[in-house]
Amino acid sequence: MAAVNPRPTILPSRGVARVKSVLSGDTLILTGKAASPNEKAPEVIFTLENISAPRLASKANNNVDEPGAFPAREWLRQMVVGKMVNFETRKQGALAGDRVYGLLTFTPPGATPNHNINLAVEAVRNGYATPKMTPQTNGGAAAADGAEEADGGEDDEYKMNLWTAYDEAKRGKLGIHSGSPLVRKIKNAGDDFQASKLVETSQKGGGKIKCVIEYVFDGSRCRVQITDPSAEDLIYGSFTLLMAGIASPRVGNPRADPPIKSEDFADEARTFSEQRILQRELEVVLLGTDKSGVCCVGSILHPKGNIAVELLKNGLAKMSDWSVRMMDPADVPALRIAENTAKKANLGVWHSYVKPSLSGAAEITGTVVEVLSGDTISILPDGQTYDSDDKLMKISLASIRAPRVGNERAGRADEPYSHECKDRLRLLTVGKQCKVQVHYERDIPLGDNSEKRKFGTVSTKSKGDVGEVLITEGLATTQFHKDGEETSPRYDELRAAEAIAKASKKGMHSEKQYKSPSINDLSDPKKIKTFSESLIRAGKLKAVVEYCFNGSRFKLLIPSENCYIMFAPDAIRSPQPSPPATSTRQTRPAEPFGDASKNHARLTLLQRNVEIDCTGVTKSGVVTGSLFVGQAGQRKDYRVELVGAGLATVDQRKIDYGEAPKQLVDAQMAAQNAKIGVWSIETVATENPTSKGVEQSKDEPKTIRISEIRSGTHFFYNLVGDEGAKIIDDCMKTFTINNGTDGAPCDIKVNKVVAALFDDGSGKSWYRAKILEKQEGGTKAVVLFLDHGNVATVPVATHLRPLDESLGTDKIPPVAIEATLCLTLARPLSDEYGHDAARMFQSTCWGKDLSARTFGKDESGKVNVVIATDSDESINEMLVSSGLARVAPPKAAKILAGRMADGSSVLKLAADLNVAQETARKTRAGMWRYGDIGDDDEDI
């Protein structure tokens, strides 16, 4: 199918742009600034309004100029090419076709900044153009081409200036008004003269010939017109010049059928040459011709240096051995040095000039989790547990080019058959066991970063090569590879399949006009409420899970209704997962098992065919109901599976009101009894319909043992008798016996849980630890020992190693619990009283089994604790009465009491602590030694 023309560039009403080239005496190409270094600068064809210049020679007029056309073009070219001009648009868009009409003004070199000339008026004044309008007696103007009569003001003044300039040119017999304006006949090499004759002519004059670079095909090829009078009868001859010694990547042709893609760095090379030589009059040294005898080979002499050397130096060309032989041996070393410089710096085409080698296994087996595009999938390798997206491997089909899905943000439309190709690949692979033969790897740019992508042949139980299936059905094509580039070993078979598809006119090779599918998006709450009744009445519907937001919220495609909806299984709630890596919005932190619940949904439901039964819709536009997954006749309720795995909870309100299905309640009871998933945590927050956000845990005494003291009020503790502590202690001892005490290569990421080496006095052993910070270029790491609470800085190479998946925190939660003394504030350890508070806390509580009461958690997640001592006072009261700590403000006590089911105990504690603080103040104990404490202590 024919390629779609790109949308034209829309200019503002006024602005500044650079002149890239001049097409004729009244038409130019303006170029703007690229949006990013990797994008091409926008261009627009700009025609001067209300004037007409003679037409240049072309095939349409037998390669003969209208009188004065070439001098008109040359005057404008010499005036503005490569320079900045001011533009004012008058007509563009649908009314102007593929160009813009308006005015251009320009400040000539040496003129004052405010001395701008109107290029249209000056062109008419010099006899290089004529006005299009016919003068009227009333001071207006009528369009010769049938344009509407213009309003007065500046427009009338401009038109009057045109006619005044026109009269001056006619009186002076300038340009086209002279007796014999120049008429040029273009001669083309190969048709009107032999390229070898031109080479001989130039060599008679010392090998140099003056030319204008009319067009740049790619970085090293351009069309040249001779302007040197010494060329005699070859003047104004046009030929193709190949720069001697180099070859740049070729620019493709997007309008071809099928489109020819540009080689990597071809646009950059072309732009590089255009900016330096396009429409400049330069000297060219001709050395010979190519094998066809039509193109000349030579060097361009630029005032600032050799353009060929600069292309090589920037990695935008490679040396061409066949043309190097034509050069003077003395000129070759400069090219060689430039190319070697680019290779060493991995610039441009040399970014991967070293022959690539596979970074991993050549054969991978696993389960396809997701189809990312029509030629790329994500696989979970066999033996891996899906607890992180890092476990997934992205695989692209080798030598396959699938139509690209559009991007609304980037303004890119879907390519024809992009959705059909992706959906066919989904049906062939998602959820199925597959084998991948990896053939090569490529560095794929992703924003500011890049990833090493594996390319291979993917086969399933029923299909030996899913890529060949896509090509055979006309949904994909073979990839156009560059010379020397790695390809699939089955490339010939893929090309044969493509030939068959073309002959059969299948898919994208069909002559029928393609109609892009239009799907109604009902994720908008206003839209879904209109259609919800019909979805509910429809009963069971087949759907495809397009996206998983968490374990119990999805975006679904319902093919029979041709719509997208947001869907959530009713009566259950899954924990909140971590926000996507690309998200920039402020979101709530992940809840325990939130990521595990989402990963389970992705592994079980993503891009699968499911069945739903809609029962309602929420105020936020989410459809609720039942969701069933599995083969026909073996479908199972997804809610039961998720709740039974401890990755979701049943809505307590549904249980209280008797609305929760019995099988869901039974599944939750089984998960609770087995203490799996969210039920393996000490307490599970459930939503009370009458008191949302209130702590439901009671302040019952617990026996604890301090494991780490951070300050006078900040510490970690273990529950005495906790089976989890014994289990993890035994497991880590076994881990140490099995692995020894040597470090191992480990992925060092902040918040990643690893095994860290520590010596507690009885010998080195491995303990679970979370990486808090990387130091000294990643050679050292600050870690938190999760089961004890202490922090240490350790060498990465010798003191860290990967942790077994069975010992992860999702399987066994951290044993050490971070806590703070309730309503008690101490100064930091750097302060004298803060240090004394920590010493009192240690001397009173360290190494003992303590009775403690908990009062929920503070905003940072620390447990609020009151610890009893052998005396009648708690450690909280002891620190306050000794003047080593202060009582939290009354507001804090009220907030904490409001979170509790019964806040009276919190208020009593606050009262007791205030009594203790008043005693310390009166006796001038500790920090009260010199009287009342100043404002500096208000926020301790």
Side-chain angles (χ1 to χ4, degrees), residues 21-27 53-54 56 65 68-81 128 184 212-214 225 227 279:
S21 61
V22 176
L23 302 181
S24 68
D26 59 11
T27 302
L56 286 165
D65 288 333
F70 184 69
R73 200 290 299 266
E74 284 298 277
W75 174 83
L76 191 56
R77 179 188 68 78
Q78 294 170 5
M79 179 79 73
V80 296
V81 163
Y128 296 129
R184 178 191 57 153
V212 173
I213 312 300
E214 291 287 348
Q225 181 175 229
T227 57
Q279 286 208 328

PDB file of all heavy atoms in Angstrom, residues 21-27 53-54 56 65 68-81 128 184 212-214 225 227 279:
ATOM      1  N   SER A  21      17.208  26.201   1.302  1.00  0.00           N
ATOM      2  CA  SER A  21      17.526  26.246  -0.126  1.00  0.00           C
ATOM      3  C   SER A  21      16.501  27.121  -0.828  1.00  0.00           C
ATOM      4  O   SER A  21      15.449  27.447  -0.284  1.00  0.00           O
ATOM      5  CB  SER A  21      17.533  24.836  -0.730  1.00  0.00           C
ATOM      6  OG  SER A  21      16.248  24.237  -0.605  1.00  0.00           O
ATOM      7  N   VAL A  22      16.832  27.494  -2.077  1.00  0.00           N
ATOM      8  CA  VAL A  22      15.957  28.312  -2.899  1.00  0.00           C
ATOM      9  C   VAL A  22      15.551  27.485  -4.108  1.00  0.00           C
ATOM     10  O   VAL A  22      16.403  27.025  -4.868  1.00  0.00           O
ATOM     11  CB  VAL A  22      16.665  29.614  -3.333  1.00  0.00           C
ATOM     12  CG1 VAL A  22      15.774  30.417  -4.280  1.00  0.00           C
ATOM     13  CG2 VAL A  22      17.036  30.443  -2.121  1.00  0.00           C
ATOM     14  N   LEU A  23      14.245  27.300  -4.282  1.00  0.00           N
ATOM     15  CA  LEU A  23      13.747  26.474  -5.373  1.00  0.00           C
ATOM     16  C   LEU A  23      13.563  27.270  -6.658  1.00  0.00           C
ATOM     17  O   LEU A  23      13.696  26.732  -7.749  1.00  0.00           O
ATOM     18  CB  LEU A  23      12.417  25.829  -4.976  1.00  0.00           C
ATOM     19  CG  LEU A  23      12.443  24.963  -3.707  1.00  0.00           C
ATOM     20  CD1 LEU A  23      11.067  24.362  -3.447  1.00  0.00           C
ATOM     21  CD2 LEU A  23      13.481  23.859  -3.826  1.00  0.00           C
ATOM     22  N   SER A  24      13.222  28.544  -6.511  1.00  0.00           N
ATOM     23  CA  SER A  24      13.053  29.418  -7.675  1.00  0.00           C
ATOM     24  C   SER A  24      13.132  30.853  -7.187  1.00  0.00           C
ATOM     25  O   SER A  24      13.368  31.109  -6.000  1.00  0.00           O
ATOM     26  CB  SER A  24      11.707  29.140  -8.361  1.00  0.00           C
ATOM     27  OG  SER A  24      10.635  29.539  -7.527  1.00  0.00           O
ATOM     28  N   GLY A  25      12.883  31.806  -8.097  1.00  0.00           N
ATOM     29  CA  GLY A  25      12.981  33.203  -7.711  1.00  0.00           C
ATOM     30  C   GLY A  25      11.913  33.651  -6.741  1.00  0.00           C
ATOM     31  O   GLY A  25      12.021  34.752  -6.190  1.00  0.00           O
ATOM     32  N   ASP A  26      10.897  32.838  -6.485  1.00  0.00           N
ATOM     33  CA  ASP A  26       9.849  33.221  -5.532  1.00  0.00           C
ATOM     34  C   ASP A  26       9.534  32.146  -4.511  1.00  0.00           C
ATOM     35  O   ASP A  26       8.581  32.278  -3.737  1.00  0.00           O
ATOM     36  CB  ASP A  26       8.559  33.609  -6.276  1.00  0.00           C
ATOM     37  CG  ASP A  26       8.031  32.476  -7.149  1.00  0.00           C
ATOM     38  OD1 ASP A  26       8.536  31.338  -7.028  1.00  0.00           O
ATOM     39  OD2 ASP A  26       7.109  32.725  -7.944  1.00  0.00           O
ATOM     40  N   THR A  27      10.297  31.063  -4.462  1.00  0.00           N
ATOM     41  CA  THR A  27       9.987  29.958  -3.561  1.00  0.00           C
ATOM     42  C   THR A  27      11.262  29.450  -2.881  1.00  0.00           C
ATOM     43  O   THR A  27      12.283  29.250  -3.540  1.00  0.00           O
ATOM     44  CB  THR A  27       9.308  28.801  -4.309  1.00  0.00           C
ATOM     45  OG1 THR A  27       8.120  29.293  -4.917  1.00  0.00           O
ATOM     46  CG2 THR A  27       8.941  27.681  -3.347  1.00  0.00           C
ATOM     47  N   ALA A  53       7.834  34.512 -10.221  1.00  0.00           N
ATOM     48  CA  ALA A  53       9.138  34.514 -10.878  1.00  0.00           C
ATOM     49  C   ALA A  53       9.092  33.540 -12.042  1.00  0.00           C
ATOM     50  O   ALA A  53       8.298  32.590 -12.054  1.00  0.00           O
ATOM     51  CB  ALA A  53      10.226  34.122  -9.890  1.00  0.00           C
ATOM     52  N   PRO A  54       9.930  33.715 -13.026  1.00  0.00           N
ATOM     53  CA  PRO A  54       9.960  32.785 -14.164  1.00  0.00           C
ATOM     54  C   PRO A  54      10.273  31.365 -13.695  1.00  0.00           C
ATOM     55  O   PRO A  54      11.009  31.156 -12.728  1.00  0.00           O
ATOM     56  CB  PRO A  54      11.077  33.344 -15.048  1.00  0.00           C
ATOM     57  CG  PRO A  54      11.239  34.763 -14.627  1.00  0.00           C
ATOM     58  CD  PRO A  54      10.899  34.813 -13.178  1.00  0.00           C
ATOM     59  N   LEU A  56      11.897  27.734 -13.572  1.00  0.00           N
ATOM     60  CA  LEU A  56      13.186  27.135 -13.893  1.00  0.00           C
ATOM     61  C   LEU A  56      13.000  25.935 -14.806  1.00  0.00           C
ATOM     62  O   LEU A  56      11.907  25.357 -14.911  1.00  0.00           O
ATOM     63  CB  LEU A  56      13.895  26.697 -12.615  1.00  0.00           C
ATOM     64  CG  LEU A  56      14.490  27.807 -11.750  1.00  0.00           C
ATOM     65  CD1 LEU A  56      14.825  27.269 -10.374  1.00  0.00           C
ATOM     66  CD2 LEU A  56      15.737  28.394 -12.408  1.00  0.00           C
ATOM     67  N   ASP A  65      14.806  27.030 -19.238  1.00  0.00           N
ATOM     68  CA  ASP A  65      14.270  28.067 -18.356  1.00  0.00           C
ATOM     69  C   ASP A  65      13.328  28.996 -19.097  1.00  0.00           C
ATOM     70  O   ASP A  65      13.482  29.226 -20.308  1.00  0.00           O
ATOM     71  CB  ASP A  65      15.406  28.934 -17.800  1.00  0.00           C
ATOM     72  CG  ASP A  65      16.236  28.214 -16.764  1.00  0.00           C
ATOM     73  OD1 ASP A  65      15.718  27.310 -16.106  1.00  0.00           O
ATOM     74  OD2 ASP A  65      17.407  28.597 -16.611  1.00  0.00           O
ATOM     75  N   GLY A  68      15.094  34.597 -17.828  1.00  0.00           N
ATOM     76  CA  GLY A  68      15.451  35.225 -16.560  1.00  0.00           C
ATOM     77  C   GLY A  68      15.228  34.367 -15.327  1.00  0.00           C
ATOM     78  O   GLY A  68      15.452  34.833 -14.212  1.00  0.00           O
ATOM     79  N   ALA A  69      14.808  33.112 -15.476  1.00  0.00           N
ATOM     80  CA  ALA A  69      14.494  32.271 -14.311  1.00  0.00           C
ATOM     81  C   ALA A  69      15.740  31.961 -13.488  1.00  0.00           C
ATOM     82  O   ALA A  69      15.714  32.045 -12.254  1.00  0.00           O
ATOM     83  CB  ALA A  69      13.828  30.973 -14.762  1.00  0.00           C
ATOM     84  N   PHE A  70      16.828  31.612 -14.159  1.00  0.00           N
ATOM     85  CA  PHE A  70      18.025  31.225 -13.418  1.00  0.00           C
ATOM     86  C   PHE A  70      18.664  32.423 -12.697  1.00  0.00           C
ATOM     87  O   PHE A  70      19.008  32.322 -11.513  1.00  0.00           O
ATOM     88  CB  PHE A  70      19.030  30.555 -14.348  1.00  0.00           C
ATOM     89  CG  PHE A  70      20.248  30.030 -13.653  1.00  0.00           C
ATOM     90  CD1 PHE A  70      20.146  28.943 -12.795  1.00  0.00           C
ATOM     91  CD2 PHE A  70      21.492  30.617 -13.839  1.00  0.00           C
ATOM     92  CE1 PHE A  70      21.267  28.449 -12.151  1.00  0.00           C
ATOM     93  CE2 PHE A  70      22.617  30.126 -13.188  1.00  0.00           C
ATOM     94  CZ  PHE A  70      22.504  29.053 -12.340  1.00  0.00           C
ATOM     95  N   PRO A  71      18.832  33.590 -13.339  1.00  0.00           N
ATOM     96  CA  PRO A  71      19.356  34.736 -12.575  1.00  0.00           C
ATOM     97  C   PRO A  71      18.483  35.101 -11.385  1.00  0.00           C
ATOM     98  O   PRO A  71      18.986  35.522 -10.343  1.00  0.00           O
ATOM     99  CB  PRO A  71      19.383  35.863 -13.623  1.00  0.00           C
ATOM    100  CG  PRO A  71      19.480  35.165 -14.931  1.00  0.00           C
ATOM    101  CD  PRO A  71      18.692  33.902 -14.766  1.00  0.00           C
ATOM    102  N   ALA A  72      17.153  34.948 -11.532  1.00  0.00           N
ATOM    103  CA  ALA A  72      16.259  35.239 -10.413  1.00  0.00           C
ATOM    104  C   ALA A  72      16.532  34.294  -9.250  1.00  0.00           C
ATOM    105  O   ALA A  72      16.604  34.710  -8.082  1.00  0.00           O
ATOM    106  CB  ALA A  72      14.809  35.130 -10.861  1.00  0.00           C
ATOM    107  N   ARG A  73      16.674  33.023  -9.558  1.00  0.00           N
ATOM    108  CA  ARG A  73      16.967  32.045  -8.510  1.00  0.00           C
ATOM    109  C   ARG A  73      18.325  32.325  -7.892  1.00  0.00           C
ATOM    110  O   ARG A  73      18.487  32.298  -6.657  1.00  0.00           O
ATOM    111  CB  ARG A  73      16.912  30.627  -9.090  1.00  0.00           C
ATOM    112  CG  ARG A  73      16.730  29.482  -8.074  1.00  0.00           C
ATOM    113  CD  ARG A  73      17.901  29.213  -7.173  1.00  0.00           C
ATOM    114  NE  ARG A  73      19.129  28.831  -7.845  1.00  0.00           N
ATOM    115  CZ  ARG A  73      19.511  27.581  -8.072  1.00  0.00           C
ATOM    116  NH1 ARG A  73      18.737  26.588  -7.681  1.00  0.00           N
ATOM    117  NH2 ARG A  73      20.667  27.320  -8.663  1.00  0.00           N
ATOM    118  N   GLU A  74      19.321  32.637  -8.732  1.00  0.00           N
ATOM    119  CA  GLU A  74      20.663  32.866  -8.237  1.00  0.00           C
ATOM    120  C   GLU A  74      20.737  34.102  -7.348  1.00  0.00           C
ATOM    121  O   GLU A  74      21.431  34.124  -6.330  1.00  0.00           O
ATOM    122  CB  GLU A  74      21.646  33.003  -9.406  1.00  0.00           C
ATOM    123  CG  GLU A  74      22.004  31.679 -10.064  1.00  0.00           C
ATOM    124  CD  GLU A  74      22.689  30.737  -9.104  1.00  0.00           C
ATOM    125  OE1 GLU A  74      23.899  30.863  -8.915  1.00  0.00           O
ATOM    126  OE2 GLU A  74      21.985  29.895  -8.508  1.00  0.00           O
ATOM    127  N   TRP A  75      19.997  35.151  -7.727  1.00  0.00           N
ATOM    128  CA  TRP A  75      19.981  36.355  -6.890  1.00  0.00           C
ATOM    129  C   TRP A  75      19.453  36.035  -5.500  1.00  0.00           C
ATOM    130  O   TRP A  75      20.051  36.428  -4.495  1.00  0.00           O
ATOM    131  CB  TRP A  75      19.112  37.414  -7.559  1.00  0.00           C
ATOM    132  CG  TRP A  75      18.919  38.630  -6.696  1.00  0.00           C
ATOM    133  CD1 TRP A  75      19.753  39.685  -6.565  1.00  0.00           C
ATOM    134  CD2 TRP A  75      17.806  38.883  -5.826  1.00  0.00           C
ATOM    135  NE1 TRP A  75      19.243  40.604  -5.675  1.00  0.00           N
ATOM    136  CE2 TRP A  75      18.043  40.130  -5.204  1.00  0.00           C
ATOM    137  CE3 TRP A  75      16.636  38.197  -5.526  1.00  0.00           C
ATOM    138  CZ2 TRP A  75      17.152  40.694  -4.293  1.00  0.00           C
ATOM    139  CZ3 TRP A  75      15.746  38.741  -4.620  1.00  0.00           C
ATOM    140  CH2 TRP A  75      16.004  39.987  -4.004  1.00  0.00           C
ATOM    141  N   LEU A  76      18.362  35.298  -5.441  1.00  0.00           N
ATOM    142  CA  LEU A  76      17.763  34.975  -4.154  1.00  0.00           C
ATOM    143  C   LEU A  76      18.637  33.983  -3.383  1.00  0.00           C
ATOM    144  O   LEU A  76      18.794  34.086  -2.160  1.00  0.00           O
ATOM    145  CB  LEU A  76      16.359  34.394  -4.365  1.00  0.00           C
ATOM    146  CG  LEU A  76      15.481  34.245  -3.132  1.00  0.00           C
ATOM    147  CD1 LEU A  76      15.320  35.564  -2.410  1.00  0.00           C
ATOM    148  CD2 LEU A  76      14.108  33.675  -3.515  1.00  0.00           C
ATOM    149  N   ARG A  77      19.264  33.025  -4.096  1.00  0.00           N
ATOM    150  CA  ARG A  77      20.133  32.045  -3.442  1.00  0.00           C
ATOM    151  C   ARG A  77      21.323  32.728  -2.795  1.00  0.00           C
ATOM    152  O   ARG A  77      21.645  32.488  -1.624  1.00  0.00           O
ATOM    153  CB  ARG A  77      20.608  30.999  -4.458  1.00  0.00           C
ATOM    154  CG  ARG A  77      21.548  29.963  -3.857  1.00  0.00           C
ATOM    155  CD  ARG A  77      22.143  29.071  -4.923  1.00  0.00           C
ATOM    156  NE  ARG A  77      23.058  29.780  -5.804  1.00  0.00           N
ATOM    157  CZ  ARG A  77      24.314  30.096  -5.496  1.00  0.00           C
ATOM    158  NH1 ARG A  77      24.806  29.783  -4.293  1.00  0.00           N
ATOM    159  NH2 ARG A  77      25.084  30.743  -6.353  1.00  0.00           N
ATOM    160  N   GLN A  78      21.998  33.568  -3.552  1.00  0.00           N
ATOM    161  CA  GLN A  78      23.172  34.255  -3.021  1.00  0.00           C
ATOM    162  C   GLN A  78      22.814  35.199  -1.878  1.00  0.00           C
ATOM    163  O   GLN A  78      23.621  35.445  -0.987  1.00  0.00           O
ATOM    164  CB  GLN A  78      23.867  35.029  -4.141  1.00  0.00           C
ATOM    165  CG  GLN A  78      24.458  34.134  -5.216  1.00  0.00           C
ATOM    166  CD  GLN A  78      24.937  34.912  -6.429  1.00  0.00           C
ATOM    167  OE1 GLN A  78      24.906  36.136  -6.441  1.00  0.00           O
ATOM    168  NE2 GLN A  78      25.371  34.194  -7.459  1.00  0.00           N
ATOM    169  N   MET A  79      21.586  35.676  -1.893  1.00  0.00           N
ATOM    170  CA  MET A  79      21.154  36.628  -0.881  1.00  0.00           C
ATOM    171  C   MET A  79      20.896  35.945   0.473  1.00  0.00           C
ATOM    172  O   MET A  79      21.334  36.443   1.519  1.00  0.00           O
ATOM    173  CB  MET A  79      19.887  37.339  -1.354  1.00  0.00           C
ATOM    174  CG  MET A  79      19.313  38.348  -0.362  1.00  0.00           C
ATOM    175  SD  MET A  79      20.168  39.923  -0.347  1.00  0.00           S
ATOM    176  CE  MET A  79      19.580  40.593  -1.896  1.00  0.00           C
ATOM    177  N   VAL A  80      20.213  34.786   0.476  1.00  0.00           N
ATOM    178  CA  VAL A  80      19.672  34.297   1.758  1.00  0.00           C
ATOM    179  C   VAL A  80      20.005  32.856   2.126  1.00  0.00           C
ATOM    180  O   VAL A  80      19.717  32.456   3.266  1.00  0.00           O
ATOM    181  CB  VAL A  80      18.139  34.471   1.776  1.00  0.00           C
ATOM    182  CG1 VAL A  80      17.758  35.914   1.710  1.00  0.00           C
ATOM    183  CG2 VAL A  80      17.475  33.662   0.667  1.00  0.00           C
ATOM    184  N   VAL A  81      20.540  32.032   1.259  1.00  0.00           N
ATOM    185  CA  VAL A  81      20.766  30.628   1.619  1.00  0.00           C
ATOM    186  C   VAL A  81      21.664  30.523   2.852  1.00  0.00           C
ATOM    187  O   VAL A  81      22.724  31.140   2.925  1.00  0.00           O
ATOM    188  CB  VAL A  81      21.373  29.832   0.447  1.00  0.00           C
ATOM    189  CG1 VAL A  81      21.995  28.527   0.932  1.00  0.00           C
ATOM    190  CG2 VAL A  81      20.302  29.513  -0.573  1.00  0.00           C
ATOM    191  N   TYR A 128      13.449  40.447 -11.159  1.00  0.00           N
ATOM    192  CA  TYR A 128      13.493  38.991 -11.069  1.00  0.00           C
ATOM    193  C   TYR A 128      12.117  38.376 -10.821  1.00  0.00           C
ATOM    194  O   TYR A 128      11.985  37.159 -10.711  1.00  0.00           O
ATOM    195  CB  TYR A 128      14.445  38.568  -9.946  1.00  0.00           C
ATOM    196  CG  TYR A 128      15.871  38.962 -10.188  1.00  0.00           C
ATOM    197  CD1 TYR A 128      16.605  39.629  -9.236  1.00  0.00           C
ATOM    198  CD2 TYR A 128      16.487  38.682 -11.412  1.00  0.00           C
ATOM    199  CE1 TYR A 128      17.923  40.010  -9.461  1.00  0.00           C
ATOM    200  CE2 TYR A 128      17.799  39.051 -11.647  1.00  0.00           C
ATOM    201  CZ  TYR A 128      18.511  39.718 -10.682  1.00  0.00           C
ATOM    202  OH  TYR A 128      19.808  40.091 -10.908  1.00  0.00           O
ATOM    203  N   ARG A 184      18.509  29.463 -19.904  1.00  0.00           N
ATOM    204  CA  ARG A 184      19.447  28.362 -19.656  1.00  0.00           C
ATOM    205  C   ARG A 184      18.823  27.045 -20.096  1.00  0.00           C
ATOM    206  O   ARG A 184      17.651  26.774 -19.833  1.00  0.00           O
ATOM    207  CB  ARG A 184      19.771  28.315 -18.161  1.00  0.00           C
ATOM    208  CG  ARG A 184      20.692  27.210 -17.729  1.00  0.00           C
ATOM    209  CD  ARG A 184      20.714  27.112 -16.224  1.00  0.00           C
ATOM    210  NE  ARG A 184      19.372  26.908 -15.679  1.00  0.00           N
ATOM    211  CZ  ARG A 184      19.108  26.306 -14.539  1.00  0.00           C
ATOM    212  NH1 ARG A 184      20.080  25.860 -13.786  1.00  0.00           N
ATOM    213  NH2 ARG A 184      17.863  26.156 -14.127  1.00  0.00           N
ATOM    214  N   VAL A 212      27.516  24.605  -8.275  1.00  0.00           N
ATOM    215  CA  VAL A 212      26.531  24.819  -7.210  1.00  0.00           C
ATOM    216  C   VAL A 212      25.952  23.460  -6.828  1.00  0.00           C
ATOM    217  O   VAL A 212      25.507  22.698  -7.695  1.00  0.00           O
ATOM    218  CB  VAL A 212      25.398  25.769  -7.650  1.00  0.00           C
ATOM    219  CG1 VAL A 212      24.304  25.837  -6.581  1.00  0.00           C
ATOM    220  CG2 VAL A 212      25.957  27.158  -7.901  1.00  0.00           C
ATOM    221  N   ILE A 213      25.957  23.169  -5.518  1.00  0.00           N
ATOM    222  CA  ILE A 213      25.397  21.904  -5.033  1.00  0.00           C
ATOM    223  C   ILE A 213      23.879  22.063  -4.990  1.00  0.00           C
ATOM    224  O   ILE A 213      23.337  22.739  -4.116  1.00  0.00           O
ATOM    225  CB  ILE A 213      25.929  21.542  -3.633  1.00  0.00           C
ATOM    226  CG1 ILE A 213      27.466  21.685  -3.591  1.00  0.00           C
ATOM    227  CG2 ILE A 213      25.484  20.148  -3.240  1.00  0.00           C
ATOM    228  CD1 ILE A 213      28.198  20.810  -4.562  1.00  0.00           C
ATOM    229  N   GLU A 214      23.189  21.471  -5.957  1.00  0.00           N
ATOM    230  CA  GLU A 214      21.753  21.686  -6.095  1.00  0.00           C
ATOM    231  C   GLU A 214      20.919  20.808  -5.160  1.00  0.00           C
ATOM    232  O   GLU A 214      19.855  21.214  -4.704  1.00  0.00           O
ATOM    233  CB  GLU A 214      21.327  21.409  -7.547  1.00  0.00           C
ATOM    234  CG  GLU A 214      21.844  22.417  -8.537  1.00  0.00           C
ATOM    235  CD  GLU A 214      21.137  23.759  -8.445  1.00  0.00           C
ATOM    236  OE1 GLU A 214      20.085  23.846  -7.774  1.00  0.00           O
ATOM    237  OE2 GLU A 214      21.630  24.709  -9.029  1.00  0.00           O
ATOM    238  N   GLN A 225      25.414  21.313 -10.297  1.00  0.00           N
ATOM    239  CA  GLN A 225      25.265  22.052 -11.559  1.00  0.00           C
ATOM    240  C   GLN A 225      26.514  22.892 -11.793  1.00  0.00           C
ATOM    241  O   GLN A 225      26.992  23.587 -10.896  1.00  0.00           O
ATOM    242  CB  GLN A 225      24.045  22.963 -11.536  1.00  0.00           C
ATOM    243  CG  GLN A 225      23.876  23.719 -12.836  1.00  0.00           C
ATOM    244  CD  GLN A 225      22.602  24.531 -12.867  1.00  0.00           C
ATOM    245  OE1 GLN A 225      21.839  24.477 -13.814  1.00  0.00           O
ATOM    246  NE2 GLN A 225      22.370  25.303 -11.828  1.00  0.00           N
ATOM    247  N   THR A 227      28.681  25.886 -12.943  1.00  0.00           N
ATOM    248  CA  THR A 227      28.524  27.332 -13.179  1.00  0.00           C
ATOM    249  C   THR A 227      29.831  27.971 -13.630  1.00  0.00           C
ATOM    250  O   THR A 227      29.893  29.193 -13.798  1.00  0.00           O
ATOM    251  CB  THR A 227      28.033  28.023 -11.888  1.00  0.00           C
ATOM    252  OG1 THR A 227      28.950  27.749 -10.818  1.00  0.00           O
ATOM    253  CG2 THR A 227      26.649  27.531 -11.499  1.00  0.00           C
ATOM    254  N   GLN A 279      23.392  24.181  -1.960  1.00  0.00           N
ATOM    255  CA  GLN A 279      23.223  25.440  -2.701  1.00  0.00           C
ATOM    256  C   GLN A 279      24.353  26.433  -2.439  1.00  0.00           C
ATOM    257  O   GLN A 279      24.181  27.635  -2.586  1.00  0.00           O
ATOM    258  CB  GLN A 279      21.856  26.058  -2.411  1.00  0.00           C
ATOM    259  CG  GLN A 279      20.727  25.305  -3.099  1.00  0.00           C
ATOM    260  CD  GLN A 279      19.540  26.168  -3.421  1.00  0.00           C
ATOM    261  OE1 GLN A 279      19.240  27.113  -2.696  1.00  0.00           O
ATOM    262  NE2 GLN A 279      18.843  25.863  -4.499  1.00  0.00           N
TER     263      GLN A 279
END
